[in-house]
Amino acid sequence: MSYLINKLLVLPGILLGISIHEFSHGYAAVKMGDDTPRLQGRLTLNPIHHIDPMGFLCLLLFGFGWAKPVMINSRNFKNPRRDDAIVSIAGPLANLLTAALFVFFLKLADNYLPYNQLGQIIWEVLQNTVIINLVLMMFNLIPIPPLDGHHILGSIGGAKVWNFYYKYYDHLRFAMLLLIVFNGVSLIISPGINFVYNMLITLIF
């Protein structure tokens, strides 16, 4: 029963985190000149439009995962290389800002929530929302397809990097699968999550 309760306390953070992440990708793409996300109904915070079943299950079971990618047509961008980087970083950046906002709420909860069962539940939901958003940020910054990090690195590195990704795309995706299966992702992203979490706790009053 306690396992189920813990998962329920994580659920609001997951739904908010993936919705914020994908909405931000879509919003940035529209601002850069590509109306595809709007036409596909992705400019919404409704999680139903953004959930990828496997990614959602991984978030619940393993603590990291992904949402259904927003479709982007970079040919509509005025500056494809720059604009693709902006669109790619928009999701992780939105998760960072959401985590910062909920750290602020967490600090308010520490000061004003009553010390009872309801107060503890609210506090845990707030903390889980912070952690889930940091997980989504750090996980998606891994520079392996199909995550945002490979778009960011490709946009910075140019043709040579994109050619590398094109040549080894299937191999890299298989490597990501192995990292997930053998818990390698946690080893990669946990130090970054802890660092950013502690930094936010320190900086936000």
Side-chain angles (χ1 to χ4, degrees):
M1 181 62 72
S2 60
Y3 176 83
L4 179 60
I5 292 174
N6 288 335
K7 294 305 177 184
L8 289 175
L9 295 178
V10 171
L11 190 59
I14 293 176
L15 295 177
L16 178 63
I18 62 176
S19 300
I20 288 286
H21 185 97
E22 297 304 327
F23 168 82
S24 298
H25 281 316
Y27 182 80
V30 170
K31 287 297 182 180
M32 295 299 106
D34 178 27
D35 211 37
T36 305
R38 187 195 306 277
L39 295 175
Q40 293 186 336
R42 301 300 298 276
L43 290 189
T44 175
L45 292 176
N46 185 344
I48 293 176
H49 295 277
H50 302 302
I51 288 176
D52 176 278
M54 183 60 68
F56 181 74
L57 186 61
C58 284
L59 270 168
L60 277 176
L61 296 180
F62 305 119
F64 57 85
W66 58 92
K68 182 169 65 176
V70 171
M71 300 302 296
I72 303 295
N73 186 351
S74 60
R75 289 177 294 182
N76 293 324
F77 294 152
K78 296 177 182 178
N79 186 331
R81 183 171 173 177
R82 180 204 64 190
D83 295 348
D84 186 64
I86 291 173
V87 171
S88 298
I89 199 67
L93 180 60
N95 288 130
L96 175 61
L97 295 175
T98 303
L101 177 63
F102 275 81
V103 166
F104 174 72
F105 292 155
L106 202 58
K107 293 291 187 78
L108 291 179
D110 282 335
N111 292 325
Y112 298 109
L113 274 181
Y115 192 74
N116 55 26
Q117 187 175 24
L118 177 60
Q120 181 66 21
I121 289 173
I122 294 173
W123 193 91
E124 289 190 24
V125 169
L126 294 174
Q127 185 186 49
N128 287 335
T129 301
V130 173
I131 293 172
I132 286 294
N133 275 276
L134 293 180
V135 166
L136 286 168
M137 178 190 74
M138 297 302 301
F139 178 67
N140 279 283
L141 287 176
I142 297 175
I144 298 178
L147 302 176
D148 299 327
H150 100 280
H151 272 278
I152 297 168
L153 188 61
S155 298
I156 294 172
K160 290 184 178 180
V161 177
W162 282 121
N163 288 337
F164 172 82
Y165 279 131
Y166 180 78
K167 184 176 181 179
Y168 296 104
Y169 189 83
D170 291 335
H171 299 80
L172 292 168
R173 284 177 64 93
F174 182 68
M176 173 56 69
L177 178 62
L178 291 179
L179 287 173
I180 292 174
V181 171
F182 293 104
N183 205 33
V185 171
S186 296
L187 296 176
I188 293 172
I189 67 176
S190 291
I193 292 170
N194 292 333
F195 174 80
V196 177
Y197 180 84
N198 290 328
M199 182 181 67
L200 292 176
I201 291 291
T202 301
L203 294 177
I204 297 176
F205 297 96

